[in-house]
Every structure is written in structure tokens, then in C-alpha cells.
């Protein structure tokens, strides 16, 4: 049996002006001229101006005017002012409807242009991470808290440098265009310094100087830097950012914490000591998930935080992108709607060079 596709909301709305005018005509004929329904014919072009283009609104207005003349003659309303008043009402509403349709079409064109620019900005700022980098398979998920937005204040990047695969995940304080501009500064500095600096400390200092030139006052950027070389270790440098989640081959979960917490990027003027790099074993078959606080601070209807460490068992798909999509869908179900903060996740899987190696997840 062939299933027919239900009509879309746009199709239903397009028929509203016609249905309204038909109902007015039927009621006017049945009730007679004494009730005074004739001016309601103007509802047709009024509704059309809200949902249709200006040409369609003008056509609906012309049809409404013809109906007004016909019903006015049928009811004998042109022997007095009522018929001419009804015609003036239909003509006036049609003119307003055409003007409203023109303005709405212009706004829709401007919005389409803005969305196109946002998509270009996304490709420049948050470029797709490489599917593989050295011994790693990478996947990323990003959800902006701003409606209709593609980008926000969270940032991420993966660079295969001469010193190993270097990664950054960060979160800019604030939202809007100012946060996007700051994220662009951090990512630009990271992409350049990742190839030049021989260690993460030097890389972090380059980022600190770039952020200090950009930010003013008490604004800051939390970030975690990671470097994976050929020694089955990951070097981490944490600037006040949530600790990553490390899934071992046997399915156990670790949250590598720095020996001492450091201030975020942009707050070095307060005189605090910078972060110290620390090494964590990271071997083939294991997974490292870096994320922003929009993930762990996402709340459900009972105000409970998202239990990320308990949900890493969802990363069981052999394809990293599908696995991360599954985790993101679970996050959306937890919040029962759009997130209240930008949420970024970057998954690194250490596959090594042996085809028989596989990634383990908690049971």
C-alpha cells in the first residue's frame, strides 16, 4: 500500500485565505445582508500577506474584491454606503498585506544571507577535524546554544605537528560575536604555534600572549591542550578546563587531573603560576574524550547534571563519528531540548598501527 505524505504546514497555511473567504461567502449568503459579514472578506488578503508572497497576496486581494462586488450586488448594499465601505476595507487590507509580504520577503532574504555567511565563518573558524591524525582517529560534535547559530564560544582543533598530534578544546567566557572573535584569535594562534613550539608549555605561552592582546578586563578562556606522540602517552596542559575522560582498554574510566590547577587563558596578569604539563598513559585501543562544560553542566528537568563519565559506554560503535553522534543524541534527550550553553566534544581513539587492535568500552 502506498502511503501518502501528509501536507506540510506551509501548504495548509497557503489554503487558509481561500477557506476564510469561502466561509465568509457562505455565511453572508445564508445570513443575509442584515448581519454585515461582507467586510470580513478582507481576511483573505490579510492572511495571505502573512504567509504568501506579494504577488499571491495581490491575486487574493483581487479575488476578494470581486467577491465583495458580487456579494454587495446580491445583498443590494450598493444602494447605500455599506457596499462601498466594504470595498474600501478589502482594498486597504490588500495594500497593507502586499506591503507586509514585500517586507517579509526582504527579511527572509537577509536571513538567508546571514546564514550563508555563518556557514562560511564556521568552515573558516571551526574547520572539520581530520578523520585520522597519526595513530589517532578523531571525531567532533558541536552544538551552539544560540538558536539558528552554527558557531559560538567553544573551540577545538587537531593538528598533526612534527612533535606529535596536538589538540585543543576550549571555552570562551561569554556568548555572541565577541566570543566568536576571541575563539578565532585562540584558534589562529594555536594553528600557527602548534607547528613551531617544541613543547606544550611554549605553545600555551603563545596562546596566553595572544589572548592577553585580545581580551580586556576579567574575560578569559578555559582550555586543555593535549599532545600524543609515539610513546603511548598523552601530555596534558590544563588552563582551568574540565578534565578529559580517558576510557581504558578494559573499560575503566579515568579523569586525568593536573597536580595543581591553573588560571584560564587571559588571567596571567593576576600573577598566578602557569599550568604544569603532566603525562598520562594512552595506549592503542583506548579513547580520550575532551569536552566543554556545556556537556557536563547540561541539566534535565529535575536539574540533574549530565553524567558524562557514566555514559561513555555509548561510545561503542567502531566508527568514532557514529559513536559520538550517539553520545550527543543522549545528551539532547537528557536536556529534553536545546542546550543552555554551547557544548563541544572531541573524541580521540588510539588505533595504533595494528589492524587487529580495537577500542574497548565499558560494559
Amino acid at each position: 500500500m502506498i502511503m501518502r505524505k501528509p501536507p506540510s504546514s506551509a501548504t495548509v497555511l497557503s489554503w487558509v485565505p481561500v477557506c476564510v473567504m469561502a466561509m465568509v461567502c457562505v455565511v453572508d449568503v445564508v445570513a443575509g445582508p442584515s448581519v454585515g459579514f461582507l467586510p470580513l472578506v478582507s481576511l483573505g488578503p490579510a492572511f495571505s500577506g502573512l504567509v504568501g508572497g506579494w504577488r499571491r497576496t495581490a491575486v487574493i486581494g483581487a479575488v476578494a474584491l470581486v467577491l465583495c462586488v458580487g456579494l454587495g450586488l446580491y445583498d443590494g448594499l450598493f444602494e447605500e454606503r455599506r457596499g462601498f465601505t466594504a470595498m474600501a476595507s478589502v482594498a486597504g487590507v490588500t495594500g497593507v498585506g502586499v506591503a507586509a509580504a514585500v517586507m517579509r520577503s526582504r527579511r527572509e532574504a537577509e536571513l538567508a544571507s546571514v546564514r550563508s555567511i555563518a556557514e562560511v565563518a564556521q568552515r573558516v573558524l571551526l574547520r572539520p577535524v581530520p578523520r585520522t591524525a597519526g595513530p589517532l582517529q578523531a571525531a567532533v560534535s558541536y552544538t551552539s546554544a544560540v538558536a539558528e547559530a552554527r558557531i559560538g564560544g567553544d573551540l577545538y582543533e587537531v593538528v598533526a605537528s612534527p612533535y606529535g598530534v596536538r589538540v585543543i578544546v576550549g571555552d570562551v567566557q561569554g556568548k555572541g560575536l565577541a566570543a566568536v572573535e576571541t575563539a578565532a584569535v585562540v584558534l589562529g594562534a594555536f594553528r600557527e604555534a602548534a607547528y613551531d613550539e617544541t613543547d606544550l608549555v611554549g605553545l600555551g605561552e603563545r596562546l596566553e600572549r595572544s589572548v592577553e592582546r585580545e581580551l580586556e578586563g576579567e574575560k578569559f578562556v578555559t582550555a586543555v591542550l593535549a599532545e600524543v606522540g609515539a610513546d603511548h602517552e598523552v601530555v596534558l596542559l590544563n588552563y582551568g578546563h574540565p578534565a578529559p575522560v580517558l576510557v581504558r582498554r578494559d573499560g575503566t574510566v579515568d579523569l586525568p587531573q593536573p597536580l595543581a590547577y591553573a588560571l584560564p587563558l587571559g588571567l596571567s596578569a593576576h600573577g598566578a603560576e602557569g599550568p604544569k604539563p603532566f603525562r598520562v598513559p594512552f595506549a592503542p585501543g583506548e579513547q580520550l574524550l575532551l569536552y566543554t562544560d556545556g556537556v557536563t553542566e547540561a541539566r534535565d528537568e529535575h536539574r540533574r547534571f549530565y553524567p558524562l563519565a557514566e555514559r561513555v559506554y555509548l561510545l561503542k560503535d567502531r566508527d568514532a563519528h557514529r559513536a559520538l553522534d550517539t553520545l550527543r543524541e543522549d545528551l539532547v534527550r537528557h536536556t529534553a531540548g536545546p542546550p543552555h550553553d554551547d557544548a563541544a566534544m572531541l573524541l580521540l581513539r588510539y588505533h595504533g598501527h595494528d589492524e587487529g587492535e580495537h577500542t574497548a568500552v565499558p560494559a
Side-chain angles (χ1 to χ4, degrees):
M1 181 176 62
I2 300 176
M3 300 295 294
R4 292 186 177 181
K5 185 179 180 180
S8 64
S9 58
T11 303
V12 174
L13 289 175
S14 66
W15 282 97
V16 169
V18 177
C19 295
V20 169
M21 291 190 299
M23 291 177 59
V24 172
C25 291
V26 172
V27 173
D28 184 82
V29 171
V30 173
S34 60
V35 181
F37 280 111
L38 186 57
L40 294 180
V41 175
S42 62
L43 291 175
F47 281 117
S48 182
L50 296 176
V51 299
W54 70 269
R55 291 184 178 86
R56 187 174 187 275
T57 302
V59 172
I60 294 294
V63 173
L65 195 60
V66 171
L67 290 176
C68 186
V69 172
L71 291 174
L73 293 174
Y74 176 80
D75 295 332
L77 299 181
F78 288 103
E79 299 175 0
E80 48 184 309
R81 294 181 178 178
R82 293 171 59 189
F84 297 100
T85 302
M87 290 182 61
S89 174
V90 172
V93 172
T94 299
V96 173
V98 169
V102 170
M103 295 177 62
R104 180 171 48 80
S105 298
R106 289 178 178 175
R107 287 196 300 269
E108 290 176 351
E110 292 175 355
L111 180 59
S113 177
V114 169
R115 288 178 177 173
S116 177
I117 294 173
E119 291 176 357
V120 174
Q122 181 193 31
R123 289 194 292 268
V124 173
L125 178 59
L126 297 178
R127 301 180 302 196
V129 300
R131 295 183 66 90
T132 59
L136 304 178
Q137 181 183 10
V140 68
S141 168
Y142 186 91
T143 304
S144 175
V146 182
E148 301 297 335
R150 300 289 195 274
I151 53 179
D154 288 1
L155 56 97
Y156 55 83
E157 183 60 288
V158 177
V159 173
S161 76
Y163 311 101
V165 179
R166 289 177 168 175
V167 179
I168 183 173
V169 170
D171 187 358
V172 179
Q173 180 203 23
K175 301 183 185 298
L177 291 178
V180 175
E181 292 174 357
T182 303
V185 171
V186 175
L187 287 174
F190 175 81
R191 287 163 180 161
E192 179 181 357
Y195 290 99
D196 299 335
E197 299 295 335
T198 58
D199 55 42
L200 284 188
V201 174
L203 176 55
E205 291 175 350
R206 288 271 293 273
L207 297 181
E208 183 69 62
R209 291 192 294 270
S210 298
V211 172
E212 284 181 349
R213 289 193 298 267
E214 174 69 18
L215 299 184
E216 298 179 356
E218 298 296 323
K219 295 183 179 180
F220 57 86
V221 180
T222 67
V224 58
L225 306 181
E227 178 182 285
V228 180
D231 50 2
H232 293 177
E233 286 184 332
V234 56
V235 183
L236 298 171
L237 193 65
N238 196 315
Y239 286 89
H241 198 79
V245 177
L246 184 57
V247 184
R248 300 295 184 187
R249 286 182 61 90
D250 59 2
T252 58
V253 176
D254 291 337
L255 299 174
Q257 302 285 351
L259 298 178
Y261 285 92
L263 293 177
L265 295 167
L267 299 181
S268 63
H270 293 272
E273 187 178 2
K276 301 296 184 182
F278 60 103
R279 297 177 177 272
V280 179
F282 185 39
E286 298 181 337
Q287 303 183 87
L288 183 67
L289 179 65
L290 301 96
Y291 55 92
T292 59
D293 59 8
V295 177
T296 51
E297 294 182 2
R299 298 173 182 262
D300 63 8
E301 57 184 3
H302 302 293
R303 308 298 295 171
R304 292 176 300 198
F305 291 115
Y306 182 68
L308 178 61
E310 300 175 8
R311 301 296 178 86
V312 293
Y313 70 88
L314 296 171
L315 300 173
K316 57 188 177 182
D317 196 294
R318 295 186 64 87
D319 183 87
H321 293 82
R322 290 196 299 264
L324 197 56
D325 287 341
T326 301
L327 186 62
R328 179 182 179 276
E329 291 170 1
D330 185 69
L331 175 63
V332 172
R333 285 194 297 268
H334 177 82
T335 57
H340 299 289
D341 193 9
D342 298 334
M345 294 184 288
L346 177 62
L347 178 63
L348 300 176
R349 282 184 170 176
Y350 200 140
H351 283 285
H353 302 288
D354 298 331
E355 296 181 359
E357 292 173 344
H358 64 280
T359 299
V361 294

